[in-house]
């Protein structure tokens, strides 16, 4: 039976396996690597991976925990709106770096330590500054739904630069004029196609609206 070199077995670790899996998922545009491909990347036999992860679900748990470890969570004493804003920015950046992760972040039944630490810190920040238990749950759910949803939409858009946007908007404007869609044309011309427009700015507008709404209700939810 062929075995991996002793040096490979000796240097393989749980962290190294997860990091390689994350890198491969990033490079492929979102496809979680097979055990065989991951083993090839690490220079070992596939069976060696089972010393660290008993199955693919366990590997996914580790990959999700890896991403949560990259996301900034609230430090003690930080004002809650500022903390949630910083966390939202950090989460959005992490999900853009790892586009495969968005649909997996809250799917794991066996959450890792980084995931649990992150969630506990967010809830603790909210509770320490006036949110009821129910209010903290509502806020956490709403904020994450917004961040995940925005990133999904942002990554799906068919443009990245202003030039890309103009190329996409051109045919839409032509069709809007032909079919009689004046409001669509107005939004494109008066907003999206103006110099300096960036779709990413919409993230902060929506986030601030959510935070302002949470402020009004944080002590009253039961």
């Amino acid at each position: 039976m062929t075995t991996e070199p002793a040096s490979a077995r000796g240097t393989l670790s749980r962290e190294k396996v997860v990091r390689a899996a994350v890198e491969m998922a990033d490079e492929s545009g979102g496809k979680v690597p097979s055990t065989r491909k991951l083993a090839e990347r690490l220079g070992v036999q596939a069976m060696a991976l089972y010393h660290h992860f008993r199955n693919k679900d366990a590997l996914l748990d580790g990959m999700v925990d890896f991403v949560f470890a990259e996301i900034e969570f609230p430090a003690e004493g930080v004002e809650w709106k500022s903390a949630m804003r910083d966390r939202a920015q950090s989460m959005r950046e992490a999900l853009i770096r790892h586009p495969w992760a968005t649909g997996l972040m809250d799917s794991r039944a066996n959450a890792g330590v980084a995931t649990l630490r992150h969630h506990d810190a967010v809830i603790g920040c909210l509770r320490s500054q006036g949110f009821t238990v129910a209010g903290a749950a509502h806020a956490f759910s709403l904020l994450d739904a917004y961040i995940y949803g925005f990133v999904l939409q942002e990554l799906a858009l068919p443009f990245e630069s202003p030039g890309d946007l103009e190329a996409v908007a051109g045919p839409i404007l032509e069709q809007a004029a032909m079919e009689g869609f004046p409001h669509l044309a107005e939004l494109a011309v008066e907003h999206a196609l103006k110099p300096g427009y960036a779709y990413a700015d919409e993230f902060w507008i929506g986030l601030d609206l959510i935070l302002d709404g949470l402020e009004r209700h944080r002590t009253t939810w039961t």
Side-chain angles (χ1 to χ4, degrees):
M1 181 176 67
T2 303
T3 59
E4 67 274 13
S7 58
R9 294 198 304 272
T11 59
L12 193 64
S13 67
R14 183 181 178 88
E15 181 181 357
K16 184 178 287 188
V17 173
V18 170
R19 186 175 296 277
V22 168
E23 289 173 354
M24 292 178 73
D26 293 345
E27 292 165 5
S28 70
K31 185 177 180 181
V32 177
S34 67
T35 301
R36 180 178 61 82
K37 290 290 186 182
L38 181 57
E40 289 176 1
R41 174 75 162 246
L42 291 163
V44 299
Q45 296 293 314
M47 287 302 296
L49 302 181
Y50 295 112
H51 293 293
H52 302 282
F53 296 97
R54 63 186 181 279
N55 53 41
K56 193 166 185 176
D57 270 341
L59 177 60
L60 287 173
D61 292 341
M63 293 171 69
V64 167
D65 208 48
F66 181 96
V67 178
F68 265 113
E70 292 186 345
I71 301 171
E72 179 179 342
F73 58 79
E76 289 187 18
V78 178
E79 190 270 332
W80 78 269
K81 275 191 179 182
S82 176
M84 293 303 116
R85 223 172 179 271
D86 290 345
R87 174 193 177 252
Q89 178 178 3
S90 180
M91 177 174 276
R92 174 170 164 262
E93 291 172 351
L95 294 175
I96 289 173
R97 285 195 300 273
H98 310 296
W100 51 270
T102 302
L104 294 173
M105 295 296 278
D106 288 327
S107 70
R108 313 318 300 159
N110 299 299
V113 173
T115 303
L116 297 175
R117 182 185 298 117
H118 180 99
H119 285 50
D120 189 70
V122 173
I123 296 167
C125 175
L126 296 171
R127 290 284 291 127
S128 70
Q129 297 186 51
F131 280 80
T132 64
V133 174
H138 299 333
F140 204 165
S141 177
L142 179 58
L143 286 165
D144 278 11
Y146 176 71
I147 297 165
Y148 292 145
F150 190 94
V151 170
L152 282 173
Q153 185 174 28
E154 186 175 19
L155 292 174
L157 291 172
F159 58 84
E160 294 182 7
S161 67
D164 293 338
L165 177 56
E166 290 178 9
V168 170
I172 294 175
L173 285 172
E174 289 180 12
Q175 186 173 6
M178 290 174 57
E179 303 292 343
F181 300 133
H183 305 301
L184 181 60
E186 180 186 44
L187 186 144
V189 173
E190 298 297 329
H191 183 62
L193 292 177
K194 278 192 170 182
Y197 173 79
Y199 180 75
D201 293 341
E202 306 289 353
F203 180 76
W204 302 110
I205 293 168
L207 180 63
D208 285 341
L209 286 171
I210 291 171
L211 294 175
D212 289 345
L214 292 173
E215 173 66 43
R216 292 196 297 273
H217 296 283
R218 65 191 173 105
T219 62
T220 60
W221 271 312
T222 58

